[in-house]
Amino acid sequence: MATITLKDLVKAYGDTEVLHHVAADIQDGEFLVIVGPSGCGKSTLLRMIAGLETVTSGEVSIGDRMVNKLEPADRDIAMVFQNYALYPHMSVRENMAYGLKIRKIDKGEINRRVEEAADILELRPYLDRKPRQLSGGQRQRVAMGRAIVRDPQVFLFDEPLSNLDAKLRVQMRLEIRKLQQKLGVTSIYVTHDQVEAMTLGDRLMVLNGGYVEQLGTPIELYDRPATVFVAGFIGSPAMNLITVEASENQLKLPNGAYLEGGNDLGKVTLGIRPEHLVSDGIGPIRVTVQLFEQLGANTLLHGVLEGTDCDIVASLPGHVSASAGTVMCFSVQAQNLHIFDIQTGKRIGA
Amino acid sequence: MVENRPILGVISHLVLILGVVIVALPIWITFVASTHDAVRMTQVPIPLLPGSHFIENFKETLFGTGLSSSAGAPVWRMLLNSMTMALMIAFGKISISLISAFAIVYFKFPFRMGFFWMIFITLMLPVEVRILPTFEVVANLGMLNSYWGLSIPLIASATATFMFRQVFLTIPDEMLESARIDGAGPMRFFWDILIPLSRTNIAALFVILFIYGWNQYLWPLLITTDSDMTTIVVSIKQMLEAAEQSPKWNIIMMTALLAMIPPVFVVVAMQRLFVQGLTETDK
């Protein structure tokens, strides 16, 4: 168990800087999720913490130790890879025991730890099988088992669920969370899936193009996204982002309608979450319906602002239907409006 | 294909049987010839059914001096020479190629690709092309008429290095990273992960290299002058050229038969791994 401190971390390949001055303090026992689109540098960051990539500048500390120059094996970490990276010629038991064997840990102790991990992960019947005889979910569990038996200070997960089918992914997500809470080991988890990020993380770090866009709890990120990028990335379906004209206490939509709120700011980006659009028949946001997606519990409406080509998505409770081309009116509460600077993308105001 | 056409069935059987006859007939004649006495083998037509002198010929070939005029060692000695040479070549090539492929794939050092291409270019220089300088080197090192002289010049191998390089490249990087996190050093990784993962490829290569070594003719002919060091393939040819005598076909054929057994044994014993090694893609 340990804290992890990232100080001003930079990664560059030649002249190309791919990670720009990343800083974070991760608490003991915390579950941090690093999330971002592919190519944003999230795996690179994780691999730098693991010691699989060199650090160009800055510091990685685990506990009180600066580990920049330490080999991965000496950092007291365990990592779960996307493709599990199980040794195909070893049985499940040997796979889990391999790291301990190298550390010259006593045989009885190895067996005890492997069996304990196997019990936690319900892998006991499979201990003598080879990885290729296991299903995807079981392999995933073996990879976790390999991490658990090491009893490390830190767990690192590199998109561990992306090779599983959707249903199994949801199930394993819960299991990972439960396991982490049970063991209380500081964990860093990389994913591109924002739902996974929201459900797993104590805190989320949103990376984009090598920059940290925001670091905070899932609810902070959802309620008060710091940038347009975070606003569009967190939440599903994605937030509606509309360019509006802000004048004294009024926001002018592209189709000429007015919303209350805002200051005298000129052009700004307005964000409204689909679930915050309330269909009341009289609201100022008039949307021409294009199509509906029926999800059962709620309905997604896809349309455009009346008279413009500005796309709008609204999430409505229950079953709703109307023919394409009809106009529906929505309103939105002032506290659910997010306003961002059009140039910098930064959040303005509360 | 699941088709039911009687004529097609008959034709395919005919073609296959013809193929079997073409391949098997020379071996059958070899076997038949090794079961007759010397006199019968000089008469026409050559016999097509086995005779009754197999045991006799077998003893004379294996433990006698083969042909009196070749003043040579008994055939068991040549079999032993061939076996030693083939095994040394096979093991030598496999170990050196494994290590060099390991270096080229997993270590970063200056001129890494340069070394790779240097090894690769030797594909253009088989023994026959470099035979004079190689002979000179081996002679100066005093390795004529020795097992080292027979095998070392044939051990350097680009093909095997290249093949292991390809095998190693198919092993995902995560395997290496996972081993690093587990605390395995480079040699640990090599022994515990790479070797077991390339097991089938090693077996396939062993079969190919053993036969390659066993069938060497030119090189052993050149560097062995002592008849105690001759290999079986060379000695069969020498028996044919035995001066001032009609060839003793029964003995020669028995020798040929004996020369076939070890490669056949290796192929049969390793067949399963051999096929896996050439076809397996799952890592």
Side-chain angles (χ1 to χ4, degrees):
Chain A
M1 253 98 318
T3 58
I4 301 171
T5 313
L6 310 179
K7 235 186 257 167
D8 212 17
L9 265 190
V10 174
K11 177 71 190 177
Y13 295 106
D15 288 340
T16 328
E17 210 174 275
V18 293
L19 271 181
H20 315 278
H21 306 279
V22 173
D25 281 305
I26 300 146
Q27 303 302 312
D28 187 13
E30 183 174 357
F31 200 123
L32 178 82
V33 177
I34 304 175
V35 62
S38 56
C40 70
K42 55 191 191 299
S43 280
T44 310
L45 178 56
L46 189 78
R47 294 162 56 85
M48 283 164 82
I49 298 168
L52 298 171
E53 296 272 358
T54 54
V55 173
T56 308
S57 75
E59 271 182 31
V60 181
S61 309
I62 297 174
D64 305 325
R65 277 192 310 170
M66 209 267 270
V67 296
N68 279 20
K69 302 276 180 222
L70 286 185
E71 270 292 300
D74 302 326
R75 295 189 178 195
D76 209 359
I77 52 161
M79 185 155 169
V80 179
F81 292 90
Q82 180 173 2
N83 62 3
Y84 323 135
L86 301 177
Y87 309 123
H89 58 291
M90 296 185 194
S91 68
V92 169
R93 182 190 294 276
E94 288 164 334
N95 259 293
M96 296 212 262
Y98 186 62
L100 302 177
K101 212 173 92 190
I102 289 180
R103 261 152 245 259
K104 302 211 164 52
I105 290 172
D106 171 65
K107 272 232 173 70
E109 170 72 8
I110 293 183
N111 272 335
R112 195 187 60 74
R113 286 210 216 167
V114 168
E115 271 158 31
E116 195 181 287
D119 284 338
I120 295 176
L121 296 163
E122 290 161 31
L123 279 173
R124 209 176 248 268
Y126 310 108
L127 274 179
D128 293 312
R129 293 209 195 163
K130 294 276 169 66
R132 66 169 175 279
Q133 298 165 304
L134 301 177
S135 70
Q138 289 164 344
R139 287 183 206 185
Q140 180 57 58
R141 278 209 282 267
V142 176
M144 307 249 304
R146 202 161 60 166
I148 294 172
V149 292
R150 300 265 309 277
D151 194 14
Q153 294 198 344
V154 179
F155 281 148
L156 303 174
F157 298 90
D158 190 0
E159 307 214 21
L161 302 183
S162 52
N163 282 356
L164 301 178
D165 64 59
K167 198 174 162 197
L168 202 54
R169 202 174 319 171
V170 174
Q171 186 192 333
M172 287 304 294
R173 193 167 80 196
L174 283 172
E175 284 186 30
I176 289 181
R177 186 63 174 140
K178 273 187 215 153
L179 189 72
Q180 196 267 346
Q181 282 177 345
K182 187 163 154 193
L183 300 172
V185 177
T186 316
S187 304
I188 302 182
Y189 186 107
V190 161
T191 179
H192 60 265
D193 180 342
Q194 57 96 11
V195 179
E196 219 168 278
M198 297 281 284
T199 48
L200 276 173
D202 291 324
R203 279 196 301 163
L204 268 53
M205 176 191 276
V206 182
L207 271 186
N208 180 30
Y211 290 96
V212 178
E213 294 271 343
Q214 191 171 3
L215 176 62
T217 64
I219 294 306
E220 274 168 25
L221 264 64
Y222 178 84
D223 284 346
R224 289 178 39 87
T227 64
V228 170
F229 179 81
V230 177
F233 195 78
I234 299 293
S236 172
M239 188 186 271
N240 296 299
L241 295 166
I242 312 162
T243 306
V244 299
E245 197 82 46
S247 52
E248 193 63 44
N249 223 19
Q250 269 188 338
L251 298 163
K252 186 177 171 218
L253 297 176
N255 65 347
Y258 287 92
L259 287 179
E260 270 181 45
N263 277 319
D264 197 359
L265 297 162
K267 266 193 180 336
V268 291
T269 304
L270 172 68
I272 307 169
R273 293 210 177 270
E275 52 273 35
H276 291 152
L277 283 169
V278 183
S279 170
D280 56 3
I282 50 163
I285 306 172
R286 296 169 60 82
V287 175
T288 310
V289 175
Q290 285 174 327
L291 59 90
F292 287 99
E293 288 180 306
Q294 304 283 355
L295 300 179
N298 54 349
T299 304
L300 294 186
L301 177 156
H302 293 265
V304 291
L305 265 186
E306 189 186 17
T308 67
D309 56 0
C310 178
D311 291 319
I312 296 284
V313 178
S315 175
L316 309 169
H319 308 282
V320 183
S321 69
S323 53
T326 46
V327 173
M328 293 179 73
C329 297
F330 295 93
S331 61
V332 59
Q333 290 185 306
Q335 83 240 27
N336 290 332
L337 296 176
H338 306 271
I339 298 169
F340 303 97
D341 188 297
I342 200 157
Q343 244 89 48
T344 63
K346 292 243 158 40
R347 185 184 188 87
I348 299 170
Chain B
M1 272 190 290
V2 188
E3 282 184 63
N4 192 12
R5 285 190 233 158
I7 297 175
L8 200 70
V10 170
I11 292 176
S12 8
H13 276 86
L14 278 181
V15 170
L16 287 174
I17 289 167
L18 190 69
V20 169
V21 168
I22 291 173
V23 173
L25 190 65
I27 297 172
W28 175 249
I29 290 182
T30 309
F31 170 69
V32 169
S34 71
T35 59
H36 287 273
D37 61 12
V39 179
R40 175 69 186 86
M41 286 313 297
T42 54
Q43 297 163 349
V44 280
I46 57 163
L48 284 175
L49 290 173
S52 57
H53 295 269
F54 182 79
I55 306 284
E56 206 178 307
N57 286 339
F58 181 75
K59 279 187 187 148
E60 194 190 334
T61 310
L62 206 54
F63 303 112
T65 50
L67 291 174
S68 53
S69 70
S70 71
V75 167
W76 69 262
R77 173 79 209 208
M78 294 164 189
L79 280 171
L80 185 73
N81 290 343
S82 276
M83 180 70 86
T84 312
M85 175 184 172
L87 286 178
M88 281 173 83
I89 290 175
F91 280 112
K93 272 198 181 204
I94 287 172
S95 359
I96 290 192
S97 316
L98 271 173
I99 297 167
S100 46
F102 180 51
I104 283 169
V105 174
Y106 287 102
F107 291 89
K108 285 205 181 92
F109 51 90
F111 310 115
R112 182 165 75 136
M113 284 322 277
F115 281 109
F116 174 68
W117 285 110
M118 269 164 65
I119 295 173
F120 197 70
I121 276 172
T122 62
L123 273 181
M124 291 190 276
L125 302 168
V127 177
E128 291 76 10
V129 176
R130 55 185 162 88
I131 200 151
L132 279 178
T134 311
F135 182 84
E136 168 105 24
V137 170
V138 170
N140 287 343
L141 287 173
M143 295 198 296
L144 295 180
N145 283 316
S146 73
Y147 289 132
W148 296 115
L150 275 172
S151 51
I152 285 182
L154 300 174
I155 280 178
S157 168
T159 31
T161 306
F162 190 68
M163 192 184 112
F164 282 125
R165 174 180 176 265
Q166 297 310 101
V167 171
F168 291 170
L169 287 179
T170 63
I171 295 175
D173 286 345
E174 281 89 348
M175 207 73 80
L176 170 68
E177 289 167 355
S178 174
R180 278 180 73 188
I181 290 178
D182 271 340
M187 287 326 285
R188 234 15 240 247
F189 176 67
F190 183 69
W191 283 114
D192 289 353
I193 318 276
L194 279 188
I195 301 272
L197 284 184
S198 19
R199 201 186 54 146
T200 52
N201 303 84
I202 292 174
L205 209 61
F206 177 82
V207 173
I208 293 169
L209 293 178
F210 182 85
I211 292 169
Y212 165 84
W214 187 267
N215 288 343
Q216 280 303 313
Y217 176 70
L218 186 58
W219 182 248
L221 181 69
L222 210 63
I223 74 144
T224 57
T225 47
D226 186 347
S227 59
D228 267 357
M229 291 303 298
T230 319
T231 63
I232 189 103
V233 179
V234 174
S235 76
I236 291 174
K237 185 72 171 60
Q238 281 171 351
M239 286 177 179
L240 280 174
E241 285 163 350
E244 301 134 30
Q245 254 184 359
S246 59
K248 283 190 179 174
W249 284 110
N250 55 334
I251 303 294
I252 295 172
M253 288 306 183
M254 176 59 85
T255 312
L257 208 60
L258 287 172
M260 272 182 238
I261 291 171
V264 168
F265 178 78
V266 166
V267 170
V268 169
M270 295 231 167
Q271 191 174 26
R272 195 180 57 88
L273 282 175
F274 179 72
V275 174
Q276 264 182 29
L278 294 183
T279 55
E280 185 182 59
T281 49
D282 182 38
K283 278 275 141 21

